[in-house]
Coordinates of all heavy atoms in Angstrom, one line a residue:
E1 N 35.3 3.4 53.1 CA 35.2 2.0 52.7 C 35.1 1.8 51.2 O 35.7 0.9 50.7 CB 33.9 1.4 53.3 CG 33.9 1.3 54.9 CD 35.1 0.3 55.3 OE1 34.9 -0.9 55.0 OE2 36.1 0.8 55.8
R2 N 34.5 2.8 50.5 CA 34.5 2.7 49.1 C 35.9 2.9 48.5 O 36.3 2.2 47.5 CB 33.5 3.8 48.5 CG 32.1 3.4 48.5 CD 31.7 2.1 47.8 NE 32.1 2.2 46.4 CZ 32.7 1.3 45.7 NH1 33.1 0.1 46.3 NH2 33.0 1.4 44.4
Q3 N 36.6 3.8 49.1 CA 38.0 4.0 48.6 C 38.9 2.8 48.8 O 39.7 2.5 48.0 CB 38.6 5.2 49.3 CG 39.9 5.7 48.7 CD 39.8 6.1 47.3 OE1 38.8 6.7 46.9 NE2 40.8 5.7 46.5
L4 N 38.6 2.1 49.9 CA 39.3 0.9 50.2 C 38.9 -0.3 49.4 O 39.5 -1.4 49.4 CB 39.2 0.5 51.7 CG 40.0 1.5 52.7 CD1 39.5 1.2 54.1 CD2 41.5 1.3 52.6
A5 N 37.7 -0.2 48.7 CA 37.1 -1.3 47.9 C 36.7 -2.4 48.8 O 36.9 -3.6 48.5 CB 38.0 -1.7 46.8
H6 N 36.2 -2.1 50.0 CA 35.8 -3.1 50.9 C 34.3 -3.5 50.6 O 33.6 -2.8 50.0 CB 35.8 -2.6 52.4 CG 37.2 -2.7 53.0 ND1 37.5 -2.1 54.1 CD2 38.3 -3.4 52.6 CE1 38.8 -2.4 54.4 NE2 39.2 -3.1 53.5
K7 N 34.0 -4.7 51.0 CA 32.6 -5.2 50.8 C 31.7 -4.5 51.8 O 32.0 -4.4 53.0 CB 32.6 -6.7 51.0 CG 31.2 -7.4 50.9 CD 31.3 -8.8 51.1 CE 29.9 -9.5 51.0 NZ 30.0 -10.9 51.3
E8 N 30.5 -4.1 51.3 CA 29.6 -3.4 52.2 C 28.6 -4.5 52.8 O 28.0 -5.2 52.1 CB 28.7 -2.4 51.3 CG 27.6 -1.8 52.2 CD 28.2 -1.0 53.4 OE1 28.8 0.1 53.2 OE2 28.1 -1.6 54.5
T9 N 28.7 -4.6 54.1 CA 27.9 -5.6 54.8 C 26.5 -5.1 55.2 O 25.6 -5.8 55.4 CB 28.6 -6.0 56.1 OG1 28.8 -4.9 56.9 CG2 29.9 -6.7 55.7
N10 N 26.3 -3.7 55.2 CA 25.0 -3.2 55.6 C 24.2 -3.0 54.3 O 24.6 -2.2 53.4 CB 25.2 -1.8 56.2 CG 23.9 -1.2 56.7 OD1 23.0 -1.0 55.9 ND2 23.9 -0.9 58.0
K11 N 23.1 -3.7 54.1 CA 22.4 -3.7 52.9 C 21.8 -2.3 52.6 O 21.6 -2.0 51.4 CB 21.2 -4.8 53.0 CG 21.8 -6.2 53.0 CD 20.6 -7.2 53.0 CE 21.2 -8.6 53.0 NZ 20.1 -9.6 53.0
I12 N 21.4 -1.6 53.6 CA 20.8 -0.3 53.3 C 21.9 0.7 52.8 O 21.7 1.4 51.8 CB 20.2 0.3 54.6 CG1 19.0 -0.6 55.1 CG2 19.7 1.7 54.4 CD1 18.4 -0.2 56.4
R13 N 23.0 0.6 53.4 CA 24.1 1.5 52.9 C 24.6 1.0 51.6 O 25.0 1.8 50.7 CB 25.3 1.5 53.9 CG 25.0 2.4 55.1 CD 25.9 2.2 56.3 NE 27.3 2.0 56.0 CZ 28.2 2.0 57.0 NH1 27.8 2.2 58.2 NH2 29.4 1.8 56.7
A14 N 24.6 -0.3 51.3 CA 25.0 -0.8 50.0 C 24.1 -0.4 48.9 O 24.5 -0.3 47.8 CB 25.0 -2.4 50.1
A15 N 22.8 -0.1 49.2 CA 21.9 0.3 48.2 C 22.1 1.8 47.9 O 21.5 2.3 46.9 CB 20.5 0.1 48.7
Y16 N 22.8 2.5 48.7 CA 23.1 3.9 48.4 C 23.8 4.1 47.1 O 24.7 3.3 46.7 CB 23.9 4.5 49.5 CG 24.1 6.0 49.5 CD1 23.1 6.9 49.8 CD2 25.3 6.5 49.0 CE1 23.3 8.3 49.7 CE2 25.6 7.9 48.9 CZ 24.6 8.7 49.3 OH 24.8 10.1 49.2
N17 N 23.4 5.1 46.3 CA 24.1 5.3 45.0 C 25.5 5.7 45.2 O 25.9 6.8 45.6 CB 23.3 6.5 44.3 CG 23.9 6.7 42.9 OD1 24.8 6.0 42.5 ND2 23.3 7.7 42.2
R18 N 26.4 4.7 44.9 CA 27.8 4.9 45.1 C 28.4 6.0 44.2 O 29.5 6.5 44.5 CB 28.5 3.6 45.0 CG 28.3 2.7 46.2 CD 28.7 1.2 45.9 NE 28.6 0.4 47.1 CZ 27.4 -0.1 47.5 NH1 26.3 0.2 46.8 NH2 27.3 -0.8 48.6
A19 N 27.8 6.3 43.2 CA 28.3 7.4 42.3 C 28.4 8.7 43.1 O 29.2 9.5 42.8 CB 27.4 7.5 41.1
Q20 N 27.5 8.8 44.1 CA 27.5 10.1 44.9 C 28.7 10.2 45.8 O 29.1 11.2 46.2 CB 26.2 10.2 45.7 CG 25.0 10.3 44.9 CD 23.7 10.4 45.8 OE1 23.9 10.7 47.0 NE2 22.6 10.2 45.2
Y21 N 29.4 9.1 45.9 CA 30.6 9.1 46.8 C 31.8 9.6 46.0 O 32.9 10.0 46.6 CB 31.0 7.7 47.3 CG 30.1 7.1 48.3 CD1 29.7 5.8 48.3 CD2 29.6 8.0 49.4 CE1 28.9 5.3 49.3 CE2 28.8 7.5 50.3 CZ 28.4 6.1 50.3 OH 27.6 5.6 51.3
M22 N 31.8 9.6 44.7 CA 32.9 9.9 43.9 C 33.4 11.4 44.1 O 34.6 11.6 44.4 CB 32.6 9.8 42.4 CG 33.8 9.8 41.5 SD 35.0 8.5 41.9 CE 36.5 9.1 41.0
E23 N 32.5 12.3 44.1 CA 32.9 13.7 44.4 C 33.5 13.8 45.8 O 34.5 14.5 46.1 CB 31.7 14.6 44.2 CG 32.1 16.1 44.4 CD 30.9 17.0 44.1 OE1 29.9 16.5 43.6 OE2 31.0 18.2 44.4
E24 N 32.8 13.1 46.7 CA 33.3 13.2 48.1 C 34.7 12.5 48.3 O 35.5 13.0 49.0 CB 32.3 12.5 49.0 CG 32.6 12.6 50.5 CD 31.5 12.0 51.4 OE1 30.5 11.5 50.8 OE2 31.6 12.0 52.6
R25 N 34.9 11.4 47.6 CA 36.2 10.7 47.7 C 37.3 11.5 47.0 O 38.4 11.5 47.5 CB 36.1 9.3 47.0 CG 35.3 8.3 47.8 CD 35.5 6.9 47.3 NE 35.0 6.6 46.0 CZ 35.7 6.1 45.0 NH1 37.0 5.9 45.2 NH2 35.2 5.9 43.9
T26 N 36.9 12.3 46.0 CA 37.9 13.1 45.3 C 38.4 14.2 46.3 O 39.6 14.4 46.4 CB 37.3 13.8 44.1 OG1 36.9 12.8 43.2 CG2 38.3 14.7 43.4
R27 N 37.5 14.8 47.0 CA 37.9 15.8 48.0 C 38.7 15.2 49.1 O 39.6 15.8 49.6 CB 36.6 16.5 48.6 CG 35.9 17.4 47.6 CD 34.9 18.4 48.3 NE 33.9 17.6 49.0 CZ 32.7 17.2 48.6 NH1 32.4 17.5 47.3 NH2 31.9 16.6 49.3
M28 N 38.2 14.0 49.6 CA 38.9 13.3 50.7 C 40.3 13.0 50.3 O 41.2 13.1 51.2 CB 38.1 12.1 51.0 CG 38.7 11.2 52.2 SD 37.7 9.7 52.5 CE 38.2 8.7 51.1
M29 N 40.5 12.4 49.1 CA 41.9 12.0 48.7 C 42.8 13.2 48.6 O 44.0 13.1 49.0 CB 41.8 11.2 47.4 CG 41.1 9.9 47.5 SD 41.7 8.8 48.7 CE 43.1 8.2 47.9

């Protein structure tokens, strides 16, 4: 969802530090 730049509707998940997704998204891509 972060890679798609979609709006996060879940407030708990939205509060998660998105910077931590960067490494994971790099591997995913």
Side-chain angles (χ1 to χ4, degrees):
E1 290 299 290
R2 280 301 301 136
Q3 188 61 41
L4 291 166
H6 279 166
K7 179 181 179 180
E8 178 57 76
T9 56
N10 185 303
K11 292 184 179 180
I12 296 177
R13 279 164 44 170
Y16 184 78
N17 183 0
R18 286 168 175 77
Q20 295 182 16
Y21 288 140
M22 191 61 193
E23 184 178 348
E24 183 175 1
R25 288 197 291 127
T26 300
R27 292 196 300 269
M28 179 182 73
M29 296 301 282

